[in-house]
Amino acid sequence: MTRLTDFACEPFSLDAIAQATGHVAVFVTPDGRMDQAARRADRLTRGAVRRWLESDGFAKVKPGEVKTLAYPAGLAAEALSLVVLPPRPQPIEARKAGAALGKVKARLGLSVFCGGRPRMAQLALGIALRDYGFDAHKTPPADQKPRGPVTLFHSAPDDLREALQTVLAMAEGVAFTRDLVNEPANVLTTTEFAARLAGMTSLGLKVEVLDEPELEKLGMRTLLSVGQGSASPSKVVVMRWDGGGKDAAPLALVGKGVVFDTGGISIKPAAGMEDMTMDMGGAGVVAGVMRTLALRKARANVVGLVGLVENMPSGTATRPGDVVKSMKGDTVEIINTDAEGRLVLCDVMWYAQERFKPAGLIDLATLTGAIIIGLGHENAGVFSNDDAFCEAFLKAARAEDEGAWRMPLGKAYDEMLKSRIADMKNVGGRPAGSITAAQFLGRFVKDDMPWIHLDIAGVASVTSDTTYAPKGATGWGVLALNRMIQDGYEDA
Ligand code: BES
Ligand code: MN
Ligand code: ZN
């Protein structure tokens, strides 16, 4: 399923440039200087590199961009890519250059002549992130050749190989999230989702699947009310990574896992409804983070919980006007069955706090269309009751080049959630739709619990290519959360 590239590290060799098959990449600086490998490629191609550097086109090129020359004379390769990068790039610069290379889709293999350049693991991460495709349901052409590896020719191949371990753990977490988010809902049922998560026990994660009778016993009626119209049973999956101190309270990650959102009885319009296969995006990110933590054996305690349900209309579905009781004990009048994500999250968030007494709580959800109106597809909405906790996340997101923008919370918005007959209703009306949704969740956060709510409806899956991903699922948030954990919850 996951089409993660194979990577190899080899000692740097100029002689390999002429012989390498597939695709060859060499570096030039933004001010048009060639390194040793680029000079060799230039000589072999009888000046092709220099002609580009001296062309008008090169004057407009920015660091991180890639120029590909097809079937270069003098090389065995089918293509030569010239990567524009300063000699000592910033991590994100190197990652972007890698993404530009990954976009080239060198199916027959890619040989990158790094010399002694730093940040080449970041370059590899960029390649791995961008060279992703979801081909699970495409019939391959009969004559398809096997994919070739990416070989990094570096003067310190052993050090680079070690650095690759960590970045490939990150890339694999992102790819796992993307595969889940891209998967159609007839394949990724609640049962299949839980099975894929249970499969991660082989990585050292502790995984528990709570089924409907247990959820009933726990009193998760708001979560169950969302799934009760579906033939697929509702589930909560708990994933634990205990890599930290024995007594250290964990960080809790909670994800919305609506495997398909028809809207329920408050049914959505037909146009675009197929996009609601991505409504488990929050759960997908939680799963991807847990996978990365396990793969890189993070020295932190983190618990990931996902609420897996399908929101369908049927004779057993919740009706608008129904009143249900949450695990916390508060009652909710369900005005609109399409505002279901908050009903799933509030029970799982409460359960996470009761059971794990976490040091902090972060929930992720494709929660509102309104956040797309507000922030588009560039930034996720960030809501928090704790400035320091929130800033730690925003800083990590900046460092990983994942867009995130803080939104307000406030008591005044609670007025909009008042119900005539229950403790609250599940929608607050059109104004401030993302904030009232966050405000609803806030009622299920215990006093003094540092909490961040991430509304990822706009960023989880997009309709055009991004820097790091082809169109479709992005895996937004896996890298930011992984970094936040690395920077704030691990002892060196
Ligand atoms: N899953 C949707 C939100 C969504 C919309 C995600 C577009 C991704 C893309 C959510 O369950 C929903 O339906 N929200 C409603 C809430 C409304 C009924 C208060 C919405 O945003 O319209
Ligand atoms: Mn909905
Ligand atoms: Zn939804």
Side-chain angles (χ1 to χ4, degrees):
M1 200 191 345
T2 306
R3 230 189 49 189
L4 208 60
T5 326
D6 280 329
F7 285 86
C9 300
E10 295 287 344
F12 185 69
S13 143
L14 284 173
D15 292 334
I17 297 172
Q19 282 122 42
T21 54
H23 200 120
V24 163
V26 297
F27 295 88
V28 298
T29 61
D31 56 357
R33 277 175 297 135
M34 291 184 261
D35 65 6
Q36 249 190 328
R39 273 201 302 276
R40 173 65 67 93
D42 186 55
R43 192 140 20 91
L44 290 164
T45 58
R46 303 216 281 135
V49 182
R50 178 161 304 284
R51 284 172 63 202
W52 180 56
L53 293 177
E54 288 170 356
S55 72
D56 290 348
F58 183 76
K60 298 190 195 84
V61 156
K62 290 187 207 65
E65 289 187 358
V66 167
K67 174 78 173 175
T68 299
L69 313 176
Y71 300 103
L75 300 187
E78 58 170 12
L80 170 65
S81 276
L82 309 171
V83 184
V84 183
L85 201 65
R88 307 204 62 81
Q90 295 298 311
I92 288 296
E93 272 180 321
R95 193 183 295 181
K96 278 189 176 149
L101 266 180
K103 193 176 170 179
V104 171
K105 298 237 170 293
R107 283 203 86 263
L108 300 180
L110 171 64
S111 299
V112 187
F113 291 88
C114 306
R117 273 168 194 270
R119 310 277 197 221
M120 290 297 103
Q122 286 294 327
L123 181 102
L125 176 56
I127 296 173
L129 290 172
R130 189 60 183 75
D131 186 18
Y132 166 89
F134 186 65
D135 303 337
H137 306 292
K138 287 201 172 176
T139 308
D143 57 351
Q144 185 164 299
K145 298 203 179 88
R147 283 171 63 84
V150 174
T151 309
L152 303 167
F153 290 89
H154 198 280
S155 51
D158 298 335
D159 296 349
L160 181 55
R161 199 173 295 120
E162 172 131 3
L164 276 184
Q165 295 286 315
T166 312
V167 295
L168 292 181
M170 293 157 68
E172 212 184 291
V174 173
F176 190 62
T177 300
R178 289 180 185 169
D179 282 349
L180 289 167
V181 172
N182 281 326
E183 200 69 275
N186 61 326
V187 176
L188 195 75
T189 59
T190 54
T191 305
E192 170 65 17
F193 201 152
R196 289 194 192 180
L197 299 184
M200 290 205 291
T201 45
S202 65
L203 303 177
L205 285 160
K206 292 180 203 132
V207 184
E208 281 166 68
V209 180
L210 309 183
D211 289 314
E212 280 181 356
E214 289 153 275
L215 302 179
E216 202 76 67
K217 223 181 294 163
L218 287 163
M220 293 203 197
R221 282 299 321 155
T222 59
L223 180 144
L224 289 164
S225 77
V226 176
Q228 75 188 33
S230 168
S232 293
S234 299
K235 293 173 193 293
V236 170
V237 181
V238 181
M239 294 162 273
R240 289 166 68 181
W241 177 255
D242 299 324
K246 232 180 151 346
D247 302 314
L251 177 69
L253 307 177
V254 172
K256 167 180 172 180
V258 177
V259 295
F260 195 75
D261 181 13
T262 63
I265 297 297
S266 314
I267 198 161
K268 288 180 183 293
M273 200 200 276
E274 68 279 7
D275 294 341
M276 285 301 116
T277 55
M278 56 74 102
D279 209 21
M280 34 53 68
V285 173
V286 171
V289 174
M290 298 310 291
R291 190 173 186 91
T292 293
L293 295 177
L295 286 170
R296 70 173 182 83
K297 300 194 167 36
R299 295 158 64 97
N301 296 337
V302 180
V303 56
L305 302 98
V306 294
L308 307 180
V309 301
E310 186 179 38
N311 189 19
M312 290 291 241
S314 81
T316 60
T318 294
R319 292 157 288 255
D322 283 3
V323 174
V324 293
K325 187 181 254 174
S326 65
M327 180 181 172
K328 180 187 172 194
D330 291 359
T331 58
V332 181
E333 182 187 9
I334 299 177
I335 300 294
N336 188 323
T337 63
D338 197 12
E340 84 296 341
R342 61 200 78 180
L343 301 173
V344 174
L345 287 170
C346 69
D347 271 346
V348 183
M349 284 164 60
W350 193 256
Y351 176 70
Q353 294 168 90
E354 288 272 286
R355 177 165 169 200
F356 295 106
K357 312 271 181 289
L361 173 67
I362 302 179
D363 79 82
L364 296 105
T366 49
L367 201 62
T368 66
I371 203 69
I372 309 176
I373 304 303
L375 298 176
H377 302 284
E378 305 302 327
N379 286 287
V382 182
F383 302 79
S384 182
N385 62 0
D386 184 308
D387 291 346
F389 192 45
C390 188
E391 190 44 48
F393 177 77
L394 291 170
K395 188 168 165 239
R398 273 194 300 274
E400 297 293 341
D401 205 17
E402 294 184 320
W405 196 262
R406 191 164 181 185
M407 301 283 289
L409 289 165
K411 269 260 158 284
Y413 296 99
D414 280 343
E415 288 301 311
M416 296 159 78
L417 293 172
K418 279 195 172 145
S419 162
R420 182 175 58 85
I421 61 167
D423 296 335
M424 69 194 90
K425 53 185 186 181
N426 76 328
V427 292
R430 293 251 300 160
S434 302
I435 306 176
T436 53
Q439 211 65 40
F440 179 99
L441 296 177
R443 295 185 176 219
F444 298 86
V445 176
K446 295 192 174 189
D447 289 345
D448 302 325
M449 174 61 62
W451 163 62
I452 298 170
H453 158 58
L454 299 171
D455 193 335
I456 63 170
V459 295
S461 184
V462 294
T463 52
S464 45
D465 293 358
T466 68
T467 307
Y468 303 107
K471 53 170 118 5
T474 62
W476 181 99
V478 173
L479 298 182
L481 288 166
N482 174 63
R483 176 177 288 260
M484 183 188 187
I485 291 162
Q486 190 171 322
D487 290 351
Y489 296 81
E490 291 183 58
D491 25 75

